[in-house]
Amino acid sequence: MDNSLQAKLRPLRELIDTIDAQILELLCQRARAAQDVGEVKHAANADGPVLRPEREADIIRRLQQLNRGPFPRDAIASVWTEIISACRGLERGMTVAFLGPRGSFSEQAAYEHFGRSVQPLPCPSFDEVFRAVEAGQADVGMVPVENSTEGAVNRTLDLLLNTPTKILGERSLDIRHCLMTQSGTMEGITAVAAHPQALAQCQGWLNRNYPGLERIAESSNSEAARVASENPTIAAIAGETAAPAWNLQIVSAGIQDDPNNRTRFLAIGDFQPLPSGKDKTSLIMAVPNRAGAVYDMLAPMAANGVSMTRFESRPARTGQWEYYFYIDVQGHRDDPQVARALADLQSQAAFLKILGSYPAQ
């Protein structure tokens, strides 16, 4: 680098160093304030959940509105999620359960949503994620609920119906599947392992490129990566983070059939977030078996100006062709128009369970 360029860059780099030191001091001030919050709550015997989803969402949205650039708007969410996570950890540590082992998309969603200053708890199944939260082994959990290619994750829907856990938040991830092996090649590979949804999401690519390989369904993509790390004849389909986690090499990246493949995850816990100003409410309903029942179910939403963002049915498994309806609406259950709609629904539904109100992503 020539001397004239170095001379121009030196003062700019010194300015960046000075600003970084100022940012660090401000972060330490914020951390001390977070510690003070914890002490005040403890002194008042108000040791409730350390996680405040509505407060955290409000902080990030307010900063995004204040931002005049050139700092990227989306980066504010990433940066402040980690700042909030680190400060939250000073008040009290938080354990997050997710489908494991290491390197799963559920783990990635958990870190993106709660930040990395948490204690991870990988679980072997969705049932164990819910059980860990119910039993108090984890403060919160993260589970997938729907994929843009393959639709609903039915086991999650069933567990939401049958457990007392509440939805605390949501996180949508771009799903980029990678084929990986021990060697980084397909030499000697006889089978490919992945979660059934991942196999379905990559079905066209596999049919074109490796139609003769046996396909093995595993409990998660990260479990497939673990299996591949122990067996040189098996390739795994998993996210990029699974490769270094299990000492594998990526053969092909981005092998999903839909380039816009996304999965929506839900954060679950045992408390109800307060309104944040931009919320979503999820519920499950069943209606009497009579003509017009579904129409009558939707009418209170329209009458109260409540917008639905998701409406999905699932068999009730009674053998009588009855269904549960999984519904997402805009707004918090404490918002007047949503409260009125829910009260009307309660009066006419055969079954109504409010899964939670939470900040919308």
Side-chain angles (χ1 to χ4, degrees):
M1 188 180 298
D2 86 21
N3 291 336
S4 63
L5 180 57
Q6 287 186 1
K8 292 177 181 177
L9 290 175
R10 186 176 300 110
L12 294 174
R13 288 171 172 163
E14 290 173 351
L15 175 62
I16 288 174
D17 290 345
T18 299
I19 293 171
D20 284 343
Q22 293 170 347
I23 292 172
L24 177 59
E25 176 55 32
L26 289 171
L27 288 175
C28 289
Q29 289 182 35
R30 191 192 194 285
R32 285 190 287 270
Q35 288 178 315
D36 292 342
V37 167
E39 290 173 5
V40 169
K41 287 165 64 176
H42 182 71
N45 292 319
D47 292 327
V50 68
L51 179 69
R52 289 286 306 277
E54 71 284 352
R55 166 68 176 156
E56 296 180 6
D58 180 65
I59 290 170
I60 291 172
R61 290 172 190 158
R62 178 173 53 83
L63 291 172
Q64 288 176 328
Q65 291 171 356
L66 290 172
N67 181 38
R68 297 180 180 178
F71 196 80
R73 184 180 187 278
D74 289 345
I76 289 174
S78 299
V79 171
W80 258 268
T81 293
E82 293 301 335
I83 292 172
I84 292 169
S85 180
C87 292
R88 189 200 307 124
L90 292 173
E91 184 179 342
R92 181 171 69 80
M94 191 173 78
T95 300
V96 182
F98 52 83
L99 181 64
R102 294 172 296 128
S104 68
F105 286 114
S106 294
E107 180 185 41
Q108 181 182 343
Y111 283 137
E112 287 196 16
H113 193 75
F114 296 111
R116 290 191 168 268
S117 295
V118 296
Q119 180 64 40
L121 179 62
C123 297
S125 67
F126 297 146
D127 297 62
E128 281 300 303
V129 174
F130 277 80
R131 191 202 62 78
V133 174
E134 289 180 59
Q137 289 180 300
D139 297 283
V140 291
M142 183 64 76
V143 290
V145 67
E146 60 180 328
N147 175 262
S148 59
T149 301
E150 293 300 307
V153 180
N154 290 327
R155 188 57 190 156
T156 296
L157 297 185
D158 291 341
L159 289 164
L160 288 170
L161 172 66
N162 295 309
T163 67
T165 55
K166 299 177 177 64
I167 301 175
L168 309 178
E170 62 178 350
R171 177 67 47 171
S172 184
L173 286 188
D174 290 319
I175 302 299
R176 189 167 184 264
H177 290 302
C178 299
L179 186 70
M180 55 191 71
T181 64
Q182 289 185 20
S183 65
T185 73
M186 296 297 286
E187 185 176 351
I189 299 298
T190 61
V192 57
H195 187 275
Q197 283 230 345
L199 290 171
Q201 291 164 21
C202 302
Q203 181 175 229
W205 190 92
L206 289 172
N207 288 344
R208 290 190 303 274
N209 292 277
Y210 299 103
L213 288 184
E214 178 188 359
R215 298 176 193 183
I216 301 173
E218 295 289 354
S219 59
S220 69
N221 290 337
S222 51
E223 174 62 15
R226 186 197 67 78
V227 169
S229 73
E230 297 177 350
N231 189 333
T233 69
I234 293 179
I237 295 175
E240 291 177 80
T241 57
W246 295 102
N247 198 29
L248 298 173
Q249 307 297 318
I250 292 177
V251 178
S252 295
I255 67 171
Q256 65 280 356
D257 296 329
D258 181 359
N260 299 312
N261 189 21
R262 294 179 67 80
T263 294
R264 179 180 173 229
F265 293 81
L266 297 177
I268 58 171
D270 63 356
F271 66 94
Q272 173 63 67
L274 297 172
S276 73
K278 183 185 176 185
D279 298 293
K280 187 179 287 186
T281 296
S282 297
L283 55 135
I284 305 174
M285 286 189 63
V287 296
N289 188 10
R290 58 174 173 77
V294 174
Y295 174 84
D296 292 340
M297 175 180 70
L298 300 178
M301 305 292 187
N304 289 282
V306 176
S307 177
M308 285 194 303
T309 59
R310 180 169 177 249
F311 183 85
E312 185 162 352
S313 63
R314 178 128 175 85
R317 298 183 178 180
T318 62
Q320 303 298 317
W321 297 104
E322 296 171 333
Y323 291 85
Y324 288 113
F325 297 92
Y326 290 75
I327 301 170
D328 292 344
V329 302
Q330 291 181 346
H332 193 280
R333 64 184 297 176
D334 292 339
D335 294 344
Q337 70 276 19
V338 178
R340 288 193 298 269
L342 292 176
D344 291 344
L345 289 171
Q346 183 74 69
S347 68
Q348 65 185 42
F351 173 84
L352 175 65
K353 180 180 181 180
I354 301 173
L355 298 174
S357 294
Y358 47 93
Q361 186 178 3

PDB file of all heavy atoms in Angstrom, residues 64-91:
ATOM      1  N   GLN A  64     -34.835   1.248  15.074  1.00  0.00           N
ATOM      2  CA  GLN A  64     -34.957   1.205  13.613  1.00  0.00           C
ATOM      3  C   GLN A  64     -35.658   2.447  13.083  1.00  0.00           C
ATOM      4  O   GLN A  64     -35.307   2.969  12.017  1.00  0.00           O
ATOM      5  CB  GLN A  64     -35.707  -0.057  13.181  1.00  0.00           C
ATOM      6  CG  GLN A  64     -34.877  -1.325  13.357  1.00  0.00           C
ATOM      7  CD  GLN A  64     -35.647  -2.586  13.034  1.00  0.00           C
ATOM      8  OE1 GLN A  64     -36.861  -2.657  13.249  1.00  0.00           O
ATOM      9  NE2 GLN A  64     -34.964  -3.606  12.536  1.00  0.00           N
ATOM     10  N   GLN A  65     -36.629   2.962  13.837  1.00  0.00           N
ATOM     11  CA  GLN A  65     -37.308   4.189  13.423  1.00  0.00           C
ATOM     12  C   GLN A  65     -36.405   5.411  13.572  1.00  0.00           C
ATOM     13  O   GLN A  65     -36.472   6.345  12.760  1.00  0.00           O
ATOM     14  CB  GLN A  65     -38.590   4.377  14.244  1.00  0.00           C
ATOM     15  CG  GLN A  65     -39.671   3.355  13.920  1.00  0.00           C
ATOM     16  CD  GLN A  65     -40.841   3.408  14.890  1.00  0.00           C
ATOM     17  OE1 GLN A  65     -40.831   4.164  15.863  1.00  0.00           O
ATOM     18  NE2 GLN A  65     -41.857   2.594  14.631  1.00  0.00           N
ATOM     19  N   LEU A  66     -35.544   5.394  14.595  1.00  0.00           N
ATOM     20  CA  LEU A  66     -34.627   6.518  14.809  1.00  0.00           C
ATOM     21  C   LEU A  66     -33.465   6.521  13.819  1.00  0.00           C
ATOM     22  O   LEU A  66     -32.854   7.564  13.578  1.00  0.00           O
ATOM     23  CB  LEU A  66     -34.068   6.467  16.237  1.00  0.00           C
ATOM     24  CG  LEU A  66     -35.035   6.784  17.382  1.00  0.00           C
ATOM     25  CD1 LEU A  66     -34.363   6.502  18.718  1.00  0.00           C
ATOM     26  CD2 LEU A  66     -35.485   8.243  17.304  1.00  0.00           C
ATOM     27  N   ASN A  67     -33.168   5.363  13.268  1.00  0.00           N
ATOM     28  CA  ASN A  67     -31.991   5.217  12.418  1.00  0.00           C
ATOM     29  C   ASN A  67     -32.087   6.068  11.150  1.00  0.00           C
ATOM     30  O   ASN A  67     -33.048   5.961  10.388  1.00  0.00           O
ATOM     31  CB  ASN A  67     -31.826   3.740  12.041  1.00  0.00           C
ATOM     32  CG  ASN A  67     -30.602   3.501  11.173  1.00  0.00           C
ATOM     33  OD1 ASN A  67     -29.568   4.125  11.372  1.00  0.00           O
ATOM     34  ND2 ASN A  67     -30.725   2.596  10.225  1.00  0.00           N
ATOM     35  N   ARG A  68     -31.078   6.876  10.907  1.00  0.00           N
ATOM     36  CA  ARG A  68     -31.016   7.690   9.699  1.00  0.00           C
ATOM     37  C   ARG A  68     -29.946   7.197   8.729  1.00  0.00           C
ATOM     38  O   ARG A  68     -29.671   7.850   7.720  1.00  0.00           O
ATOM     39  CB  ARG A  68     -30.732   9.154  10.072  1.00  0.00           C
ATOM     40  CG  ARG A  68     -31.845   9.797  10.916  1.00  0.00           C
ATOM     41  CD  ARG A  68     -31.521  11.235  11.245  1.00  0.00           C
ATOM     42  NE  ARG A  68     -32.574  11.855  12.060  1.00  0.00           N
ATOM     43  CZ  ARG A  68     -32.512  13.096  12.522  1.00  0.00           C
ATOM     44  NH1 ARG A  68     -31.439  13.842  12.263  1.00  0.00           N
ATOM     45  NH2 ARG A  68     -33.498  13.584  13.249  1.00  0.00           N
ATOM     46  N   GLY A  69     -29.340   6.048   9.025  1.00  0.00           N
ATOM     47  CA  GLY A  69     -28.326   5.498   8.142  1.00  0.00           C
ATOM     48  C   GLY A  69     -26.989   6.176   8.330  1.00  0.00           C
ATOM     49  O   GLY A  69     -26.863   7.167   9.042  1.00  0.00           O
ATOM     50  N   PRO A  70     -25.954   5.624   7.693  1.00  0.00           N
ATOM     51  CA  PRO A  70     -25.995   4.506   6.740  1.00  0.00           C
ATOM     52  C   PRO A  70     -25.969   3.114   7.388  1.00  0.00           C
ATOM     53  O   PRO A  70     -25.907   2.114   6.683  1.00  0.00           O
ATOM     54  CB  PRO A  70     -24.730   4.720   5.917  1.00  0.00           C
ATOM     55  CG  PRO A  70     -23.763   5.305   6.891  1.00  0.00           C
ATOM     56  CD  PRO A  70     -24.594   6.203   7.778  1.00  0.00           C
ATOM     57  N   PHE A  71     -26.034   3.039   8.726  1.00  0.00           N
ATOM     58  CA  PHE A  71     -26.044   1.715   9.366  1.00  0.00           C
ATOM     59  C   PHE A  71     -27.292   0.977   8.907  1.00  0.00           C
ATOM     60  O   PHE A  71     -28.400   1.507   8.989  1.00  0.00           O
ATOM     61  CB  PHE A  71     -26.044   1.854  10.889  1.00  0.00           C
ATOM     62  CG  PHE A  71     -25.682   0.583  11.607  1.00  0.00           C
ATOM     63  CD1 PHE A  71     -24.360   0.196  11.734  1.00  0.00           C
ATOM     64  CD2 PHE A  71     -26.661  -0.239  12.139  1.00  0.00           C
ATOM     65  CE1 PHE A  71     -24.017  -0.981  12.382  1.00  0.00           C
ATOM     66  CE2 PHE A  71     -26.330  -1.413  12.796  1.00  0.00           C
ATOM     67  CZ  PHE A  71     -25.003  -1.788  12.918  1.00  0.00           C
ATOM     68  N   PRO A  72     -27.149  -0.275   8.405  1.00  0.00           N
ATOM     69  CA  PRO A  72     -28.301  -0.989   7.832  1.00  0.00           C
ATOM     70  C   PRO A  72     -29.404  -1.220   8.857  1.00  0.00           C
ATOM     71  O   PRO A  72     -29.135  -1.611   9.997  1.00  0.00           O
ATOM     72  CB  PRO A  72     -27.696  -2.318   7.354  1.00  0.00           C
ATOM     73  CG  PRO A  72     -26.229  -2.062   7.236  1.00  0.00           C
ATOM     74  CD  PRO A  72     -25.893  -1.055   8.286  1.00  0.00           C
ATOM     75  N   ARG A  73     -30.645  -1.026   8.423  1.00  0.00           N
ATOM     76  CA  ARG A  73     -31.792  -1.192   9.319  1.00  0.00           C
ATOM     77  C   ARG A  73     -31.860  -2.614   9.869  1.00  0.00           C
ATOM     78  O   ARG A  73     -32.090  -2.807  11.068  1.00  0.00           O
ATOM     79  CB  ARG A  73     -33.081  -0.850   8.569  1.00  0.00           C
ATOM     80  CG  ARG A  73     -34.337  -0.894   9.422  1.00  0.00           C
ATOM     81  CD  ARG A  73     -35.565  -0.553   8.600  1.00  0.00           C
ATOM     82  NE  ARG A  73     -36.750  -0.440   9.437  1.00  0.00           N
ATOM     83  CZ  ARG A  73     -37.494  -1.452   9.856  1.00  0.00           C
ATOM     84  NH1 ARG A  73     -37.147  -2.690   9.498  1.00  0.00           N
ATOM     85  NH2 ARG A  73     -38.561  -1.259  10.601  1.00  0.00           N
ATOM     86  N   ASP A  74     -31.689  -3.615   9.000  1.00  0.00           N
ATOM     87  CA  ASP A  74     -31.788  -5.005   9.453  1.00  0.00           C
ATOM     88  C   ASP A  74     -30.682  -5.360  10.439  1.00  0.00           C
ATOM     89  O   ASP A  74     -30.864  -6.216  11.313  1.00  0.00           O
ATOM     90  CB  ASP A  74     -31.739  -5.954   8.254  1.00  0.00           C
ATOM     91  CG  ASP A  74     -33.006  -5.892   7.418  1.00  0.00           C
ATOM     92  OD1 ASP A  74     -34.013  -5.348   7.902  1.00  0.00           O
ATOM     93  OD2 ASP A  74     -32.983  -6.377   6.269  1.00  0.00           O
ATOM     94  N   ALA A  75     -29.527  -4.709  10.294  1.00  0.00           N
ATOM     95  CA  ALA A  75     -28.412  -5.011  11.193  1.00  0.00           C
ATOM     96  C   ALA A  75     -28.699  -4.541  12.615  1.00  0.00           C
ATOM     97  O   ALA A  75     -28.136  -5.077  13.569  1.00  0.00           O
ATOM     98  CB  ALA A  75     -27.128  -4.362  10.681  1.00  0.00           C
ATOM     99  N   ILE A  76     -29.570  -3.538  12.753  1.00  0.00           N
ATOM    100  CA  ILE A  76     -29.925  -3.071  14.098  1.00  0.00           C
ATOM    101  C   ILE A  76     -30.527  -4.226  14.897  1.00  0.00           C
ATOM    102  O   ILE A  76     -30.193  -4.428  16.071  1.00  0.00           O
ATOM    103  CB  ILE A  76     -30.901  -1.880  14.012  1.00  0.00           C
ATOM    104  CG1 ILE A  76     -30.166  -0.652  13.486  1.00  0.00           C
ATOM    105  CG2 ILE A  76     -31.531  -1.579  15.379  1.00  0.00           C
ATOM    106  CD1 ILE A  76     -31.057   0.540  13.232  1.00  0.00           C
ATOM    107  N   ALA A  77     -31.420  -4.989  14.267  1.00  0.00           N
ATOM    108  CA  ALA A  77     -32.034  -6.120  14.971  1.00  0.00           C
ATOM    109  C   ALA A  77     -30.984  -7.134  15.402  1.00  0.00           C
ATOM    110  O   ALA A  77     -31.001  -7.618  16.545  1.00  0.00           O
ATOM    111  CB  ALA A  77     -33.091  -6.778  14.082  1.00  0.00           C
ATOM    112  N   SER A  78     -30.054  -7.460  14.514  1.00  0.00           N
ATOM    113  CA  SER A  78     -29.017  -8.446  14.846  1.00  0.00           C
ATOM    114  C   SER A  78     -28.116  -7.952  15.975  1.00  0.00           C
ATOM    115  O   SER A  78     -27.827  -8.688  16.935  1.00  0.00           O
ATOM    116  CB  SER A  78     -28.182  -8.758  13.601  1.00  0.00           C
ATOM    117  OG  SER A  78     -28.970  -9.296  12.576  1.00  0.00           O
ATOM    118  N   VAL A  79     -27.657  -6.704  15.864  1.00  0.00           N
ATOM    119  CA  VAL A  79     -26.728  -6.157  16.858  1.00  0.00           C
ATOM    120  C   VAL A  79     -27.400  -6.031  18.215  1.00  0.00           C
ATOM    121  O   VAL A  79     -26.858  -6.454  19.249  1.00  0.00           O
ATOM    122  CB  VAL A  79     -26.178  -4.802  16.379  1.00  0.00           C
ATOM    123  CG1 VAL A  79     -25.400  -4.115  17.492  1.00  0.00           C
ATOM    124  CG2 VAL A  79     -25.282  -4.987  15.158  1.00  0.00           C
ATOM    125  N   TRP A  80     -28.618  -5.469  18.237  1.00  0.00           N
ATOM    126  CA  TRP A  80     -29.253  -5.225  19.530  1.00  0.00           C
ATOM    127  C   TRP A  80     -29.800  -6.502  20.151  1.00  0.00           C
ATOM    128  O   TRP A  80     -29.927  -6.593  21.361  1.00  0.00           O
ATOM    129  CB  TRP A  80     -30.315  -4.141  19.417  1.00  0.00           C
ATOM    130  CG  TRP A  80     -29.778  -2.836  19.942  1.00  0.00           C
ATOM    131  CD1 TRP A  80     -29.876  -2.335  21.206  1.00  0.00           C
ATOM    132  CD2 TRP A  80     -28.972  -1.894  19.217  1.00  0.00           C
ATOM    133  NE1 TRP A  80     -29.210  -1.146  21.307  1.00  0.00           N
ATOM    134  CE2 TRP A  80     -28.646  -0.845  20.100  1.00  0.00           C
ATOM    135  CE3 TRP A  80     -28.517  -1.824  17.891  1.00  0.00           C
ATOM    136  CZ2 TRP A  80     -27.886   0.251  19.717  1.00  0.00           C
ATOM    137  CZ3 TRP A  80     -27.762  -0.733  17.503  1.00  0.00           C
ATOM    138  CH2 TRP A  80     -27.457   0.282  18.412  1.00  0.00           C
ATOM    139  N   THR A  81     -30.094  -7.506  19.337  1.00  0.00           N
ATOM    140  CA  THR A  81     -30.472  -8.799  19.911  1.00  0.00           C
ATOM    141  C   THR A  81     -29.333  -9.337  20.766  1.00  0.00           C
ATOM    142  O   THR A  81     -29.548  -9.845  21.877  1.00  0.00           O
ATOM    143  CB  THR A  81     -30.829  -9.806  18.807  1.00  0.00           C
ATOM    144  OG1 THR A  81     -32.028  -9.380  18.151  1.00  0.00           O
ATOM    145  CG2 THR A  81     -31.049 -11.198  19.380  1.00  0.00           C
ATOM    146  N   GLU A  82     -28.099  -9.204  20.269  1.00  0.00           N
ATOM    147  CA  GLU A  82     -26.940  -9.678  21.032  1.00  0.00           C
ATOM    148  C   GLU A  82     -26.661  -8.793  22.239  1.00  0.00           C
ATOM    149  O   GLU A  82     -26.290  -9.280  23.315  1.00  0.00           O
ATOM    150  CB  GLU A  82     -25.712  -9.758  20.126  1.00  0.00           C
ATOM    151  CG  GLU A  82     -25.804 -10.814  19.041  1.00  0.00           C
ATOM    152  CD  GLU A  82     -26.005 -12.222  19.583  1.00  0.00           C
ATOM    153  OE1 GLU A  82     -25.617 -12.494  20.744  1.00  0.00           O
ATOM    154  OE2 GLU A  82     -26.577 -13.053  18.849  1.00  0.00           O
ATOM    155  N   ILE A  83     -26.837  -7.480  22.090  1.00  0.00           N
ATOM    156  CA  ILE A  83     -26.643  -6.574  23.233  1.00  0.00           C
ATOM    157  C   ILE A  83     -27.648  -6.891  24.333  1.00  0.00           C
ATOM    158  O   ILE A  83     -27.291  -7.014  25.518  1.00  0.00           O
ATOM    159  CB  ILE A  83     -26.770  -5.104  22.785  1.00  0.00           C
ATOM    160  CG1 ILE A  83     -25.599  -4.715  21.881  1.00  0.00           C
ATOM    161  CG2 ILE A  83     -26.838  -4.168  24.000  1.00  0.00           C
ATOM    162  CD1 ILE A  83     -25.739  -3.347  21.242  1.00  0.00           C
ATOM    163  N   ILE A  84     -28.914  -7.016  23.945  1.00  0.00           N
ATOM    164  CA  ILE A  84     -29.955  -7.334  24.916  1.00  0.00           C
ATOM    165  C   ILE A  84     -29.684  -8.690  25.558  1.00  0.00           C
ATOM    166  O   ILE A  84     -29.842  -8.874  26.767  1.00  0.00           O
ATOM    167  CB  ILE A  84     -31.340  -7.310  24.235  1.00  0.00           C
ATOM    168  CG1 ILE A  84     -31.699  -5.874  23.827  1.00  0.00           C
ATOM    169  CG2 ILE A  84     -32.410  -7.898  25.147  1.00  0.00           C
ATOM    170  CD1 ILE A  84     -32.911  -5.779  22.915  1.00  0.00           C
ATOM    171  N   SER A  85     -29.268  -9.676  24.761  1.00  0.00           N
ATOM    172  CA  SER A  85     -28.988 -11.008  25.278  1.00  0.00           C
ATOM    173  C   SER A  85     -27.877 -10.970  26.315  1.00  0.00           C
ATOM    174  O   SER A  85     -27.977 -11.588  27.385  1.00  0.00           O
ATOM    175  CB  SER A  85     -28.606 -11.935  24.121  1.00  0.00           C
ATOM    176  OG  SER A  85     -28.318 -13.243  24.580  1.00  0.00           O
ATOM    177  N   ALA A  86     -26.805 -10.240  26.008  1.00  0.00           N
ATOM    178  CA  ALA A  86     -25.679 -10.151  26.942  1.00  0.00           C
ATOM    179  C   ALA A  86     -26.095  -9.473  28.246  1.00  0.00           C
ATOM    180  O   ALA A  86     -25.728  -9.917  29.346  1.00  0.00           O
ATOM    181  CB  ALA A  86     -24.526  -9.395  26.290  1.00  0.00           C
ATOM    182  N   CYS A  87     -26.891  -8.399  28.142  1.00  0.00           N
ATOM    183  CA  CYS A  87     -27.338  -7.692  29.343  1.00  0.00           C
ATOM    184  C   CYS A  87     -28.347  -8.523  30.122  1.00  0.00           C
ATOM    185  O   CYS A  87     -28.337  -8.531  31.357  1.00  0.00           O
ATOM    186  CB  CYS A  87     -27.946  -6.340  28.955  1.00  0.00           C
ATOM    187  SG  CYS A  87     -26.749  -5.154  28.283  1.00  0.00           S
ATOM    188  N   ARG A  88     -29.208  -9.233  29.408  1.00  0.00           N
ATOM    189  CA  ARG A  88     -30.173 -10.119  30.069  1.00  0.00           C
ATOM    190  C   ARG A  88     -29.434 -11.186  30.871  1.00  0.00           C
ATOM    191  O   ARG A  88     -29.836 -11.557  31.968  1.00  0.00           O
ATOM    192  CB  ARG A  88     -31.075 -10.756  29.023  1.00  0.00           C
ATOM    193  CG  ARG A  88     -32.251 -11.515  29.594  1.00  0.00           C
ATOM    194  CD  ARG A  88     -32.847 -12.514  28.601  1.00  0.00           C
ATOM    195  NE  ARG A  88     -33.191 -11.952  27.323  1.00  0.00           N
ATOM    196  CZ  ARG A  88     -32.725 -12.415  26.172  1.00  0.00           C
ATOM    197  NH1 ARG A  88     -31.874 -13.429  26.159  1.00  0.00           N
ATOM    198  NH2 ARG A  88     -33.089 -11.881  25.030  1.00  0.00           N
ATOM    199  N   GLY A  89     -28.336 -11.687  30.291  1.00  0.00           N
ATOM    200  CA  GLY A  89     -27.552 -12.705  30.971  1.00  0.00           C
ATOM    201  C   GLY A  89     -26.926 -12.224  32.263  1.00  0.00           C
ATOM    202  O   GLY A  89     -26.670 -13.024  33.168  1.00  0.00           O
ATOM    203  N   LEU A  90     -26.668 -10.910  32.363  1.00  0.00           N
ATOM    204  CA  LEU A  90     -26.124 -10.365  33.608  1.00  0.00           C
ATOM    205  C   LEU A  90     -27.173 -10.337  34.709  1.00  0.00           C
ATOM    206  O   LEU A  90     -26.844 -10.438  35.893  1.00  0.00           O
ATOM    207  CB  LEU A  90     -25.603  -8.940  33.363  1.00  0.00           C
ATOM    208  CG  LEU A  90     -24.366  -8.818  32.468  1.00  0.00           C
ATOM    209  CD1 LEU A  90     -24.068  -7.357  32.186  1.00  0.00           C
ATOM    210  CD2 LEU A  90     -23.162  -9.487  33.118  1.00  0.00           C
ATOM    211  N   GLU A  91     -28.449 -10.186  34.293  1.00  0.00           N
ATOM    212  CA  GLU A  91     -29.531 -10.194  35.282  1.00  0.00           C
ATOM    213  C   GLU A  91     -29.790 -11.620  35.765  1.00  0.00           C
ATOM    214  O   GLU A  91     -29.880 -11.879  36.952  1.00  0.00           O
ATOM    215  CB  GLU A  91     -30.797  -9.601  34.662  1.00  0.00           C
ATOM    216  CG  GLU A  91     -31.954  -9.479  35.643  1.00  0.00           C
ATOM    217  CD  GLU A  91     -33.187  -8.870  35.006  1.00  0.00           C
ATOM    218  OE1 GLU A  91     -33.084  -8.229  33.942  1.00  0.00           O
ATOM    219  OE2 GLU A  91     -34.283  -9.053  35.586  1.00  0.00           O
TER     220      GLU A  91
END
